[in-house]
């Protein structure tokens, strides 16, 4: 299960270190795509296959379903870990998530989410309003 929160900097080429604890579950090759809330989603090969199967069950005749499938699949990129534990985030995905210098990698069970630290802070501040301290 993917859990935890890690902050790292992107290098000038757009590569990001994948923490060793996350790397164990993600494997040497994995899929990164546009996600919800302005984040990127990362899936291991097995979880990506499961996600694709779920997408295939959506009705082709429903415009919202087609848009949903198109959104996730059009941005999907296979990433590979290099010897330093880094992976390249494609330019279109960095632009989508507004990733420039720093990034937060969050383990959320079956996937990772990648976003700028300020977006994560704003999101969790909003979520905290709904739960007691």
């Amino acid at each position: 299960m993917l859990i935890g929160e890690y902050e790292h900097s992107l290098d000038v080429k757009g590569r990001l270190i994948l923490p060793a604890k996350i790397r164990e579950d993600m494997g040497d090759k994995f899929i990164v795509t546009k996600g919800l809330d302005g984040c990127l989603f990362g899936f291991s090969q097995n979880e990506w296959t499961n996600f694709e199967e779920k997408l295939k069950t959506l009705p082709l005749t429903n415009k919202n379903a087609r848009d949903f499938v198109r959104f996730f699949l059009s941005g999907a990129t296979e990433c590979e870990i290099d010897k330093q534990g880094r992976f390249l985030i494609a330019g279109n995905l960095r632009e989508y998530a507004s990733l420039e210098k720093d990034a937060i990698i969050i383990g959320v069970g079956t996937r990772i989410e990648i976003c700028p630290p300020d977006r994560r802070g704003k999101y969790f501040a909003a979520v905290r309003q709904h739960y007691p301290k």
Side-chain angles (χ1 to χ4, degrees):
M1 174 178 273
L2 296 161
I3 59 173
E5 184 174 309
Y6 310 87
E7 185 169 352
H8 289 284
S9 295
L10 284 90
D11 68 13
V12 295
K13 294 181 180 180
R15 294 176 297 196
L16 184 64
I17 291 174
L18 191 65
K21 288 183 179 185
I22 298 286
R23 204 176 315 142
E24 290 173 15
D25 289 335
M26 294 293 286
D28 292 333
K29 290 184 180 180
F30 54 94
I31 306 298
V32 174
T33 191
K34 292 178 272 185
L36 303 175
D37 303 316
C39 294
L40 301 178
F41 286 177
F43 296 91
S44 68
Q45 295 284 355
N46 286 343
E47 286 300 331
W48 179 252
T49 300
N50 293 339
F51 186 64
E52 280 183 316
E53 290 303 316
K54 290 175 186 174
L55 292 176
K56 287 178 186 177
T57 66
L58 298 175
L60 187 61
T61 56
N62 181 303
K63 182 181 178 348
N64 289 334
R66 288 192 313 272
D67 289 344
F68 190 74
V69 171
R70 191 177 296 123
F71 174 78
F72 286 110
L73 296 182
S74 67
T77 303
E78 184 178 76
C79 296
E80 191 169 351
I81 299 293
D82 69 13
K83 292 179 182 172
Q84 286 77 38
R86 304 170 301 188
F87 66 99
L88 178 65
I89 300 175
N92 64 317
L93 295 176
R94 289 194 313 267
E95 183 178 328
Y96 168 78
S98 303
L99 291 172
E100 294 177 11
K101 185 180 179 207
D102 296 319
I104 296 282
I105 300 171
I106 303 168
V108 286
T110 59
R111 69 177 185 278
I112 59 172
E113 293 184 1
I114 304 166
C115 64
D118 65 328
R119 183 168 299 136
R120 179 200 111 335
K122 290 175 188 173
Y123 172 77
F124 281 116
V127 168
R128 268 188 237 117
Q129 294 177 19
H130 301 288
Y131 299 99
K133 292 183 179 185

